């Protein structure tokens, strides 16, 4: 059995007035990571309006390949070039699916909440994919059709939509607020 892929989730708050420099620096780091053996991909979640904290996700084949990248001279030089571009850095490592859901203390929400969060991310993306490409794939036999759709959807889900779902549903997943209370609060904010 092969080791589980490892995900490094990094949060960085952009220093005031350094947005352009920060985003260029961030893309440089993603390109740097892509040159390392075992790199599986990365993604960036921009902050919601009114916030300045970016979520950056790096995924590697295993702990050894992540460690090789983390301890490389080129990454250290890249981090040094980033001095002053961000504040309050935070890092979190996660293995497997539970890693998407772990909070800073290592706690995970109940499986039923995890299932809902994944479904809320997967359903609209799958629906859109079928609307856009379902007709093109309709004539294919089942195996190639499923192969193409999973090859296209898996990276999009892993690096973009599941992390986005976790961020948007974070308070509910952690039991800090119910969905109903959150919706009610938003309705009152819009009405004000």
């Amino acid at each position: 059995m092969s080791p589980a892929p490892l995900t490094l989730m990094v949060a960085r708050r952009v220093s005031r007035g350094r947005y352009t420099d920060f985003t260029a620096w961030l893309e440089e780091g993603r390109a740097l990571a892509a040159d390392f053996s075992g790199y599986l991909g990365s993604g960036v979640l921009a902050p919601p309006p009114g916030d300045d904290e970016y979520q950056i996700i790096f995924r590697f084949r295993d702990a050894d390949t992540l460690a090789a990248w983390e301890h490389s001279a080129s990454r250290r030089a890249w981090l040094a070039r980033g001095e002053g571009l961000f504040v309050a850095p935070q890092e979190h490592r996660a293995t497997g699916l539970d890693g998407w859901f772990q909070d800073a203390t290592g706690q995970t929400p109940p499986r039923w909440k995890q299932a809902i969060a994944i479904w809320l991310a997967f359903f609209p993306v799958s629906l859109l994919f079928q609307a856009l490409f379902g007709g093109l794939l309709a004539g294919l036999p089942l195996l190639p059709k499923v192969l193409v759709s999973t090859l296209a959807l898996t990276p999009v889900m892993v690096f973009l939509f599941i992390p986005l779902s976790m961020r948007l549903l974070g308070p509910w997943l952690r039991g800090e607020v119910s969905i109903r209370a959150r919706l009610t609060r938003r309705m009152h904010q819009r009405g004000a």
Side-chain angles (χ1 to χ4, degrees), residues 110-124:
R111 289 277 184 195
W112 67 270
K113 283 189 174 185
Q114 293 179 30
I116 289 171
I118 291 172
W119 182 84
L120 286 171
F122 195 84
F123 177 73

Side-chain angles (χ1 to χ4, degrees), residues 99-110:
W100 290 114
F101 297 94
Q102 284 180 345
D103 62 18
T105 66
Q107 298 295 312
T108 58

